[in-house]
Amino acid sequence: MKLGAIGECMLELSHPNNKDLSTSNLGFGGDTLNTLIYASRLDIDCYFFSALGTDPYSEWMMEQWQKEGVQTDCVNINANKLPGMYAIQVDNTGERSFFYWREQSAARDFVRDLGAEKLLQQCLEMDVIYFSGISLGILDEEQRHTLLEVLKKLKAAGKKIAFDGNYRPKNWDSREQAANWSDTILPLVDWYLPTLDDEQDLFQIGGQEDLITRHAAHEIEEVVIKDGGNGCSIVMEDQVSHVAIPESVKPIDTTAAGDSFNAGYIAARMHGKSPTQSALIGHKVAAQVIQHRGAIVDKKLFTVPDFD
């Protein structure tokens, strides 16, 4: 089974001591790429649809992804662009703040540079296509419409489409623009994996019940609402079931918590597990990630959850 993810990966600067910015670690991260890496560790064939430059940092990132088992055949190379970069700071509770430098990112022109037909043909080789609100947000309007037409053809071809709203206001001209695009995309989505507080900010709604009511018209096959330490809720055919986190852990860094949950959920569904079983796998993956700093846990420190 092949999972393809569309999006951006950036260089990541993190600080072992948040009070001393002169010491930094260089890594990489990006929501859909984070999900791919953890899905690859769960025995899924993973392909990244993105773009990089020809600079040493782009080459280094490509090598790291390949070491993680992520296929890079679908990564477009733009010699005139560079990868984006962000710095991350984490407070005493594990919550994080981000600072971005991404205007020259090659991924922002990915759809235009690759072209609709080539993107479609590459995506048709996948069983599941995954992307996020960030994947949409970094593109201009022309490229969003191109991607939308590709997604419609993938849906018609019977491909599973997974989406995480991942609302980040800085990526959009307005909240209304982001909400309109989310509503445009959702009718095409099979597995929707939003985070509750993101949805509350995006749609200006109250709690989970409001979210369920709002999205009912889209007739999404599976909606999995992530709610941090409160676990998640699965909505299928008007039935709502709550899946608690199996073991409480104290977070050190919540970076990629949602991304890694998505990886566990999508990978388990692709392995034929039920939505509830898949949510438990997602919780187990995320629980490991939030006990380490940065988006990507060292592979030697990561334990593949038992799927039985």
Side-chain angles (χ1 to χ4, degrees):
M1 295 287 282
K2 294 181 179 180
L3 169 64
I6 299 169
E8 176 184 31
C9 185
M10 293 179 287
L11 295 164
E12 176 190 88
L13 288 179
S14 59
H15 309 288
N17 180 347
N18 281 328
K19 295 180 180 179
D20 181 7
L21 301 187
S22 66
T23 58
S24 300
N25 293 328
L26 180 64
F28 58 87
D31 64 335
T32 56
L33 187 277
N34 299 339
T35 296
L36 274 189
I37 286 177
Y38 290 115
S40 176
R41 294 180 183 183
L42 301 179
D43 199 27
I44 295 294
D45 291 334
C46 293
Y47 295 75
F48 195 32
F49 291 77
S50 188
L52 289 173
T54 56
D55 57 280
Y57 296 100
S58 292
E59 293 174 0
W60 173 75
M61 279 201 291
M62 187 97 77
E63 291 171 358
Q64 301 310 306
W65 304 344
Q66 292 167 348
K67 287 179 181 178
E68 285 284 356
V70 174
Q71 303 296 318
T72 57
D73 309 44
C74 302
V75 176
N76 192 57
I77 302 300
N78 185 332
N80 298 315
K81 295 284 186 176
L82 295 167
M85 183 175 70
Y86 68 93
I88 183 170
Q89 290 193 303
V90 183
D91 66 19
N92 293 332
T93 68
E95 288 301 318
R96 68 273 195 230
S97 299
F98 296 93
F99 306 86
Y100 294 97
W101 296 265
R102 72 192 322 173
E103 290 304 314
Q104 295 301 312
S105 169
R108 296 176 74 93
D109 293 319
F110 160 68
V111 174
R112 180 182 297 109
D113 289 346
L114 191 63
E117 187 57 32
K118 187 172 182 180
L119 177 59
L120 174 63
Q121 292 307 314
Q122 290 180 338
C123 287
L124 283 170
E125 297 296 319
M126 304 295 117
D127 298 290
V128 179
I129 294 294
Y130 170 67
F131 67 111
S132 74
I134 296 176
S135 308
L136 285 174
I138 65 170
L139 302 175
D140 58 31
E141 281 289 288
E142 177 188 354
Q143 292 182 92
R144 289 173 193 150
H145 282 286
T146 300
L147 179 57
L148 175 63
E149 293 307 310
V150 169
L151 292 169
K152 288 178 179 178
K153 292 175 181 178
L154 292 172
K155 180 77 170 181
K159 303 300 179 180
K160 287 288 186 185
I161 297 177
F163 178 64
D164 183 342
N166 254 2
Y167 173 52
R168 300 295 181 267
K170 291 182 180 179
N171 290 339
W172 298 92
D173 294 337
S174 67
R175 182 190 63 79
E176 290 78 11
Q177 181 193 43
N180 287 338
W181 268 103
S182 183
D183 282 336
T184 300
I185 289 295
L186 285 176
L188 301 173
V189 173
D190 299 290
W191 301 338
Y192 187 36
L193 303 162
T195 299
L196 180 59
D197 56 6
D198 282 353
E199 301 289 283
Q200 289 172 315
D201 290 343
L202 176 58
F203 297 112
Q204 301 290 283
I205 57 175
Q208 178 175 288
E209 290 184 4
D210 294 333
L211 177 61
I212 293 171
T213 300
R214 190 186 187 286
H215 289 335
H218 295 308
E219 299 182 347
I220 304 166
E221 180 182 324
E222 296 172 23
V223 180
V224 185
I225 304 169
K226 306 187 291 287
D227 191 17
N230 297 319
C232 71
S233 295
I234 302 173
V235 186
M236 296 178 65
E237 297 181 349
D238 298 326
Q239 299 296 312
V240 182
S241 57
H242 181 256
V243 182
I245 296 172
E247 183 178 352
S248 178
V249 297
K250 182 178 180 180
I252 294 174
D253 180 352
T254 58
T255 304
D259 306 335
S260 54
F261 174 92
N262 293 351
Y265 187 88
I266 293 170
R269 292 295 281 127
M270 292 177 73
H271 282 303
K273 301 302 178 182
S274 72
T276 298
Q277 291 171 316
S278 300
L280 285 170
I281 294 295
H283 284 324
K284 290 177 181 179
V285 175
Q288 294 187 63
V289 173
I290 65 174
Q291 293 182 79
H292 297 83
R293 294 200 180 277
I296 307 300
V297 176
D298 188 313
K299 200 169 185 178
K300 290 179 283 190
L301 302 177
F302 182 82
T303 302
V304 176
D306 187 355
F307 274 56
D308 296 326

